[in-house]
Amino acid sequence: MIQTNNRGLFLTFEGIDGSGKSTQCRMLADHLRAQGREVVLTREPGGSAGAEEIRRLVLEGDPARWSAETEILLFTAARRDHLERTIQPALEAGKVVVCDRFADSTRMYQGLSRGDLRATVDQLHRLMIQREPDLTVLIDMDPETGLSRAKGRQGREERFEDFGLQLQEKMRAGFLSLAEEFPERFRVIDGAQDLAAVAADVAAIVEAALDANA
Ligand code: TYD
C-alpha cells in the first residue's frame, strides 16, 4: 500500500511521449497548491542541478552517442542525484512531490527499447535507488495520437520521440503490463479524454491517496 516512511507523498506520472503527462503534472500541482499544500513539481531526467546537466548529455546530440548500457548508468546517476537533492528532502519536509517520469521510464525505455535489459535496470535500481513512488499515474494513450502531439513540439530533445510508432506501441503495452506488475501503486487513466476530464480523474486518485496518507 502507500508507503508512510516519509511524511510527504511521492507521486509520479508515466506514459508514452506526447501522452500529456507534463501538462497533467502542472495542473495537479496547481490544484494541490490551491488547497494549501506544499508541492514540489519536478521531472526526470533532471530535477536537480546535476541531473539537469546529465539530461543534456543524454537527450541532446547524436542519438547513437551512448550504448544502451551507458544510458542506463546515466539515467540512474541523474535519478540518484535528483533523489538525494530534491525528492528526499521534500518528502522529509512533508511536501507532496509530483514527478514527471521516474524509474518506470527507465524500466521501459532502457529496459525494452534496445533489447531486453530490464534485469540490468532492476539490478541498478536496487543498488542505487531503491525508492519507489507511493503512487504512479499512468496516462494511457493511443500511440498515433501521442506521436503526432510529440512531433508537433519543437526542440532539440528528439532523441526518444524519433523512435516512431512501432516503438511507442511497445512502450504503451510495456507500461500497461508494468501497471499490472505493481498494482498497489499504479493507477491507469484514459488519456484520450479531454484535458479537464483527465485532470479530474488524476485529482480524485491523488486526493484518495492523500487521505490514506493523512
Ligand atoms: P520527457 O521530458 O518526459 O519527454 P516527454 O514530455 O516527451 O515525455 O522525457 C524525455 C525523454 O526521456 C522521453 O522520451 C523518455 C526518455 N526517458 C528515458 O528514456 N529513460 C528515463 O529513465 C527517463 C526518465 C526518460
Side-chain angles (χ1 to χ4, degrees), residues 156-196:
R156 288 176 297 169
E157 292 181 356
E158 53 191 27
R159 167 86 180 80
F160 294 91
E161 289 162 4
D162 267 0
F163 279 159
L165 197 57
Q166 220 183 342
L167 186 81
Q168 298 288 353
E169 298 273 11
K170 196 172 171 181
M171 292 296 116
R172 180 194 199 183
F175 274 122
L176 287 170
S177 61
L178 211 53
E180 286 175 13
E181 192 180 331
F182 301 108
E184 66 294 337
R185 71 174 165 88
F186 261 94
R187 301 291 179 274
V188 182
I189 291 182
D190 176 11
Q193 309 173 84
D194 64 52
L195 270 183

Side-chain angles (χ1 to χ4, degrees), residues 14-19 21-22 43-45 55 58-59 71 75 79 100-107 109-110 150 153 157 159-161:
E14 298 284 356
I16 60 172
D17 295 317
S19 58
K21 303 172 281 83
S22 307
R43 67 164 182 184
E44 290 211 345
R55 180 183 179 102
V58 87
L59 294 184
E71 220 172 74
F75 278 107
R79 179 159 307 124
D100 188 348
R101 296 195 183 280
F102 191 65
D104 296 316
S105 280
T106 316
R107 293 184 173 109
Y109 287 83
Q110 282 64 50
R153 288 184 306 206
E157 292 181 356
R159 167 86 180 80
F160 294 91
E161 289 162 4

